[in-house]
Amino acid sequence: VRTLAFTSVGWSAAKAAIALSSYGLCVIIGKLIYGPVTDKVPMRKCAVFFFLVIAVSHVLLGMTGAGWFNEFWAHTANFLYGLGGPVCTIGLSLYGYEMCKNGDTTGWIRNYTVVYNVGALVFNPIAGALADATGNYSAAFFMFAGTAVVAAVCAQIAYSGAYKRYLMNHKKEQ
Protein backbone atom coordinates (compact mmCIF):
# COMPACT_ATOMS: atom_id res chain seq x y z
CA VAL A 1 0.00 0.00 0.00
CA ARG A 2 2.90 2.37 0.68
CA THR A 3 4.18 2.20 -2.90
CA LEU A 4 0.67 2.89 -4.20
CA ALA A 5 0.34 5.75 -1.73
CA PHE A 6 3.46 7.36 -3.11
CA THR A 7 2.65 6.80 -6.79
CA SER A 8 -0.97 7.95 -6.35
CA VAL A 9 0.29 11.43 -5.44
CA GLY A 10 2.56 11.69 -8.45
CA TRP A 11 5.82 10.10 -7.36
CA SER A 12 7.53 8.00 -10.01
CA ALA A 13 7.76 4.25 -9.42
CA ALA A 14 11.54 4.62 -8.94
CA LYS A 15 11.16 7.40 -6.37
CA ALA A 16 8.50 5.38 -4.53
CA ALA A 17 10.74 2.29 -4.52
CA ILE A 18 13.65 4.28 -3.12
CA ALA A 19 11.39 5.74 -0.45
CA LEU A 20 10.22 2.25 0.45
CA SER A 21 13.71 0.73 0.44
CA SER A 22 14.48 1.80 3.99
CA TYR A 23 11.56 -0.20 5.34
CA GLY A 24 13.38 -3.56 5.28
CA LEU A 25 16.31 -2.18 7.24
CA CYS A 26 13.97 -0.43 9.67
CA VAL A 27 12.09 -3.67 10.39
CA ILE A 28 15.36 -5.40 11.25
CA ILE A 29 16.33 -2.52 13.54
CA GLY A 30 12.85 -2.53 15.09
CA LYS A 31 13.05 -6.23 15.90
CA LEU A 32 16.53 -5.84 17.37
CA ILE A 33 15.26 -3.03 19.60
CA TYR A 34 11.94 -4.70 20.46
CA GLY A 35 13.45 -7.74 22.19
CA PRO A 36 15.64 -5.94 24.74
CA VAL A 37 12.92 -3.34 25.41
CA THR A 38 10.30 -6.00 26.13
CA ASP A 39 12.78 -7.81 28.38
CA LYS A 40 12.97 -4.73 30.59
CA VAL A 41 9.54 -3.09 30.23
CA PRO A 42 6.26 -4.94 30.83
CA MET A 43 4.54 -5.97 27.59
CA ARG A 44 1.40 -4.10 28.62
CA LYS A 45 3.30 -0.79 28.52
CA CYS A 46 5.23 -1.80 25.41
CA ALA A 47 2.00 -2.52 23.56
CA VAL A 48 0.77 1.04 24.07
CA PHE A 49 4.08 2.58 23.06
CA PHE A 50 4.65 0.46 19.96
CA PHE A 51 1.05 0.69 18.71
CA LEU A 52 1.20 4.48 19.10
CA VAL A 53 4.47 4.56 17.15
CA ILE A 54 2.67 2.67 14.38
CA ALA A 55 -0.18 5.19 14.56
CA VAL A 56 2.25 8.11 14.16
CA SER A 57 3.88 6.40 11.16
CA HIS A 58 0.46 6.03 9.54
CA VAL A 59 -0.46 9.65 10.22
CA LEU A 60 2.76 10.65 8.46
CA LEU A 61 1.91 8.36 5.53
CA GLY A 62 -1.54 9.93 5.44
CA MET A 63 0.24 13.16 4.58
CA THR A 64 1.83 11.84 1.36
CA GLY A 65 -0.17 14.31 -0.70
CA ALA A 66 0.98 17.34 1.32
CA GLY A 67 3.44 19.65 -0.40
CA TRP A 68 6.01 19.25 2.37
CA PHE A 69 5.99 15.42 2.31
CA ASN A 70 9.20 14.19 0.69
CA GLU A 71 11.62 11.24 0.88
CA PHE A 72 12.78 12.31 4.35
CA TRP A 73 9.24 11.93 5.70
CA ALA A 74 8.76 8.66 3.84
CA HIS A 75 11.91 7.24 5.47
CA THR A 76 10.83 8.63 8.85
CA ALA A 77 7.46 6.88 8.49
CA ASN A 78 9.27 3.67 7.49
CA PHE A 79 11.54 3.92 10.50
CA LEU A 80 8.62 4.45 12.86
CA TYR A 81 6.63 1.60 11.33
CA GLY A 82 9.71 -0.64 11.43
CA LEU A 83 10.18 0.26 15.10
CA GLY A 84 6.55 -0.32 16.02
CA GLY A 85 5.74 -3.20 13.69
CA PRO A 86 7.23 -6.00 15.82
CA VAL A 87 4.35 -5.53 18.28
CA CYS A 88 2.18 -7.18 15.59
CA THR A 89 4.55 -10.06 14.86
CA ILE A 90 6.97 -10.90 17.67
CA GLY A 91 4.49 -9.43 20.13
CA LEU A 92 1.94 -12.17 19.57
CA SER A 93 4.07 -14.87 21.21
CA LEU A 94 4.92 -12.51 24.07
CA TYR A 95 1.22 -11.70 24.54
CA GLY A 96 0.43 -15.40 24.58
CA TYR A 97 3.09 -16.07 27.17
CA GLU A 98 2.12 -13.18 29.44
CA MET A 99 -1.66 -13.37 29.10
CA CYS A 100 -1.97 -17.11 29.45
CA LYS A 101 0.21 -17.94 32.42
CA ASN A 102 -1.02 -21.35 33.51
CA GLY A 103 -3.30 -21.37 30.48
CA ASP A 104 -3.57 -22.26 26.81
CA THR A 105 -0.75 -20.18 25.31
CA THR A 106 -0.85 -22.03 21.99
CA GLY A 107 -4.60 -21.50 21.65
CA TRP A 108 -4.26 -17.81 22.43
CA ILE A 109 -1.51 -17.34 19.84
CA ARG A 110 -3.61 -19.25 17.27
CA ASN A 111 -6.63 -17.00 17.93
CA TYR A 112 -4.49 -13.85 17.79
CA THR A 113 -3.00 -14.96 14.47
CA VAL A 114 -6.47 -15.58 13.03
CA VAL A 115 -7.68 -12.12 14.12
CA TYR A 116 -4.49 -10.51 12.79
CA ASN A 117 -4.92 -12.15 9.37
CA VAL A 118 -8.66 -11.44 9.19
CA GLY A 119 -7.81 -7.80 9.87
CA ALA A 120 -5.54 -7.76 6.81
CA LEU A 121 -8.23 -9.42 4.69
CA VAL A 122 -10.82 -6.85 5.76
CA PHE A 123 -8.80 -3.65 5.91
CA ASN A 124 -6.78 -3.98 2.69
CA PRO A 125 -9.88 -3.93 0.45
CA ILE A 126 -11.26 -1.04 2.51
CA ALA A 127 -7.99 0.84 1.91
CA GLY A 128 -8.37 0.26 -1.83
CA ALA A 129 -12.00 1.42 -1.76
CA LEU A 130 -11.02 4.57 0.14
CA ALA A 131 -8.27 5.26 -2.39
CA ASP A 132 -10.72 4.79 -5.26
CA ALA A 133 -13.17 7.16 -3.60
CA THR A 134 -10.64 9.86 -2.72
CA GLY A 135 -7.95 9.50 -5.39
CA ASN A 136 -5.13 8.67 -2.93
CA TYR A 137 -4.36 6.57 0.14
CA SER A 138 -4.39 9.33 2.77
CA ALA A 139 -7.77 8.34 4.22
CA ALA A 140 -6.65 4.71 4.35
CA PHE A 141 -3.54 5.60 6.35
CA PHE A 142 -5.60 7.70 8.75
CA MET A 143 -7.89 4.68 9.14
CA PHE A 144 -4.82 2.50 9.82
CA ALA A 145 -3.63 5.04 12.41
CA GLY A 146 -7.02 4.86 14.10
CA THR A 147 -6.93 1.07 14.18
CA ALA A 148 -3.46 1.17 15.77
CA VAL A 149 -4.85 3.36 18.56
CA VAL A 150 -7.80 0.98 18.95
CA ALA A 151 -5.32 -1.92 19.11
CA ALA A 152 -3.44 -0.17 21.94
CA VAL A 153 -6.72 0.22 23.86
CA CYS A 154 -7.74 -3.40 23.15
CA ALA A 155 -4.35 -4.62 24.38
CA GLN A 156 -4.94 -2.80 27.67
CA ILE A 157 -8.41 -4.33 27.99
CA ALA A 158 -7.01 -7.79 27.22
CA TYR A 159 -4.27 -7.35 29.81
CA SER A 160 -6.82 -6.26 32.42
CA GLY A 161 -8.85 -9.41 31.77
CA ALA A 162 -5.77 -11.63 31.83
CA TYR A 163 -4.63 -10.09 35.10
CA LYS A 164 -8.05 -10.69 36.68
CA ARG A 165 -8.06 -14.32 35.48
CA TYR A 166 -4.55 -14.80 36.84
CA LEU A 167 -5.57 -13.47 40.25
CA MET A 168 -8.71 -15.62 40.31
CA ASN A 169 -6.76 -18.76 39.38
CA HIS A 170 -4.14 -18.14 42.05
CA LYS A 171 -6.70 -17.45 44.78
CA LYS A 172 -8.11 -20.94 44.16
CA GLU A 173 -4.66 -22.48 44.66
CA GLN A 174 -4.12 -20.86 48.06
Side-chain angles (χ1 to χ4, degrees), residues 8-169:
S8 71
V9 295
W11 289 22
S12 69
K15 183 176 176 180
I18 290 168
L20 193 58
S21 66
S22 64
Y23 175 68
L25 176 64
C26 294
V27 168
I28 293 168
I29 293 168
K31 288 181 178 182
L32 291 172
I33 291 170
Y34 189 79
V37 169
T38 56
D39 286 343
K40 294 183 181 357
V41 179
M43 223 9 231
R44 184 176 190 164
K45 291 180 181 178
C46 286
V48 170
F49 173 76
F50 286 103
F51 277 123
L52 292 179
V53 168
I54 290 172
V56 170
S57 78
H58 283 106
V59 167
L60 275 176
L61 289 167
M63 301 293 190
T64 54
W68 53 265
F69 193 92
N70 57 28
E71 292 90 340
F72 170 80
W73 293 108
H75 291 299
T76 300
N78 286 339
F79 175 75
L80 292 172
Y81 190 76
L83 179 65
V87 75
C88 302
T89 54
I90 298 170
L92 75 93
S93 57
L94 297 175
Y95 294 145
Y97 176 75
E98 284 194 0
M99 289 190 191
C100 298
K101 292 184 192 289
N102 302 329
D104 183 13
T105 304
T106 304
W108 197 94
I109 293 172
R110 178 191 62 239
N111 293 339
Y112 178 89
T113 303
V114 168
V115 169
Y116 178 77
N117 288 313
V118 167
L121 287 171
V122 170
F123 282 102
N124 283 337
I126 292 172
L130 285 170
D132 286 345
T134 62
N136 64 48
Y137 282 86
S138 292
F141 280 110
F142 291 130
M143 175 189 68
F144 292 151
T147 58
V149 172
V150 168
V153 171
C154 288
Q156 298 312 297
I157 292 168
Y159 269 102
S160 295
Y163 184 68
K164 288 174 188 172
R165 283 189 307 279
Y166 179 80
L167 290 177
M168 286 175 39
N169 289 337

